[in-house]
């Protein structure tokens, strides 16, 4: 695990964006695993800028997002599909059909999860997986618990996560109680992982990830077992290391 500490999130995001950019230059049809949330927004803006200025080309790129709320359609402003369209896909030259976000409204969620895993494998696996982290150590929506769940699955969100994400909704009651997420196995099978965390609220979880032993009570701690993880932090997220 390589850990880089930057003065501020924008600088960290610019550095992280260079990994996605250089991957695209080497492999134009690269498969990216993507994340939502506040953390990656400056990185997505940087990638959109590079694309606009003709430095990188997304026309053959394929993406699979980590997660989605169960019960929200893609046109709901708090859905992760809406977020990705709004923050990245509508600003780069990626063919829309190359972008994948799990459906939160599939009639058969078990089939949706199994099909999602199958599609990633058929695409050749994820070349670079982007990750943020929850205050409780979650990656994707893999919440703290007694085990690591390997495959894409649905789960009940913790109150901690619902509260943290309520800022994207009108009120706490509107935050869905369930989500579909890639599993820890999908993440661990990525060839390379780019991990971002900013702010004091993430410092304890980041300490558990970097300094602790692998435990499902901090799901991010499994990343210590991956051979190619680069961690981009600001000073606050790194303050307990
Ligand atoms: C989002 C995701 C989550 C977020 C995490 C941090 O697709 O998988 O694990 O990365 O909840 O969210 P922010 O960046 O909003 O603090």
């Amino acid at each position: 695990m390589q850990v880089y500490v930057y003065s501020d999130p924008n600088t960290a995001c610019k550095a992280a964006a260079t990994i996605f950019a250089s991957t695209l230059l080497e492999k134009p049809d690269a498969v990216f695993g993507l994340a939502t949330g506040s953390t990656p927004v400056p990185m997505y803006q940087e990638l959109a800028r590079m694309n606009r200025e003709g430095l990188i080309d997304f026309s053959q790129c394929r993406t699979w997002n980590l997660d989605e709320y169960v019960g929200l359609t893609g046109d709901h402003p708090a859905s992760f599909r809406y977020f990705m369209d709004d923050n990245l896909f509508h600003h780069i030259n990626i063919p829309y059909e190359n972008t994948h976000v799990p459906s939160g409204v599939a009639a058969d969620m078990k089939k949706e999860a199994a099909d999602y895993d199958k599609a990633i494998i058929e695409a050749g696996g994820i070349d670079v997986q982007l990750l943020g982290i929850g205050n409780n150590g979650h990656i994707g929506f893999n919440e703290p618990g007694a085990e690591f769940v390997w495959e894409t699955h649905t789960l009940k969100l913790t109150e901690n996560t619902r509260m943290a994400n309520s800022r994207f909704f009108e009120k706490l009651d509107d935050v869905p109680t369930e989500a579909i997420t890639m599993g820890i196995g999908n993440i661990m099978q990525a060839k390379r992982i780019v991990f971002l965390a900013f702010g004091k609220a993430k410092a304890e979880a980041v300490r558990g990830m970097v300094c602790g032993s692998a435990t499902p009570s901090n799901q991010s701690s499994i990343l210590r077992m991956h051979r190619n993880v680069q961690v981009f932090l600001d000073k606050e997220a790194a303050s307990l290391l």
Side-chain angles (χ1 to χ4, degrees):
M1 191 174 264
Q2 294 169 291
V3 180
Y4 308 103
V5 183
Y6 292 86
S7 55
D8 62 278
N10 276 346
T11 315
C13 280
K14 282 193 175 146
T18 63
I19 294 177
F20 287 87
S22 60
T23 303
L24 271 185
L25 292 174
E26 274 170 32
K27 186 179 177 192
D29 64 346
V31 175
F32 292 151
L34 298 178
T36 58
S38 308
T39 307
V41 171
M43 198 197 85
Y44 290 152
Q45 285 168 351
E46 177 66 2
L47 288 175
R49 180 193 67 79
M50 285 195 247
N51 185 227
R52 207 167 42 242
E53 293 180 4
L55 302 175
I56 50 173
D57 173 24
F58 285 90
S59 63
Q60 296 177 60
C61 178
R62 294 154 301 154
T63 68
W64 270 265
N65 260 78
L66 282 165
D67 42 16
E68 180 60 281
Y69 292 110
V70 168
L72 297 195
T73 51
D75 57 359
H76 189 292
S79 75
F80 289 168
R81 161 52 82 179
Y82 190 99
F83 174 97
M84 289 309 299
D85 291 351
D86 201 33
N87 283 283
L88 185 66
F89 300 147
H90 287 164
H91 306 283
I92 60 176
N93 70 329
I94 193 165
Y96 200 65
E97 63 275 17
N98 286 12
T99 70
H100 306 86
V101 180
S103 169
V105 291
D108 182 345
M109 290 303 288
K110 275 212 169 116
K111 182 171 181 317
E112 172 67 15
D115 289 351
Y116 207 69
D117 288 344
K118 194 159 160 260
I120 294 170
I121 292 166
E122 282 171 4
I126 293 169
D127 293 301
V128 186
Q129 175 67 55
L130 177 66
L131 292 178
I133 185 172
N135 302 345
N136 63 4
H138 74 213
I139 48 176
F141 267 143
N142 294 281
E143 297 280 42
E147 55 177 356
F148 294 109
V149 180
W150 216 241
E151 289 156 344
T152 298
H153 59 286
T154 54
L155 76 152
K156 214 171 141 31
L157 293 170
T158 61
E159 282 314 297
N160 176 311
T161 294
R162 291 186 66 241
M163 214 111 85
N165 288 8
S166 62
R167 68 190 192 279
F168 296 110
F169 294 81
E170 257 177 41
K171 52 185 190 308
L172 181 60
D173 274 356
D174 295 344
V175 184
T177 54
E178 283 179 50
I180 176 168
T181 183
M182 276 191 203
I184 292 297
N186 301 86
I187 294 168
M188 291 298 280
Q189 279 156 17
K191 292 163 196 124
R192 184 173 191 175
I193 293 176
V194 170
F195 175 100
L196 309 176
F198 309 131
K200 204 146 194 84
K202 306 289 173 72
E204 186 61 47
V206 167
R207 191 180 63 81
M209 175 184 82
V210 177
C211 310
S213 47
T215 165
S217 61
N218 179 340
Q219 297 271 318
S220 69
S221 61
I222 192 119
L223 297 176
R224 292 162 57 80
M225 322 282 263
H226 192 284
R227 68 167 75 106
N228 194 358
V229 185
Q230 282 160 300
V231 177
F232 296 82
L233 306 175
D234 68 353
K235 281 196 194 129
E236 292 183 335
S239 60
L240 298 178
L241 297 184

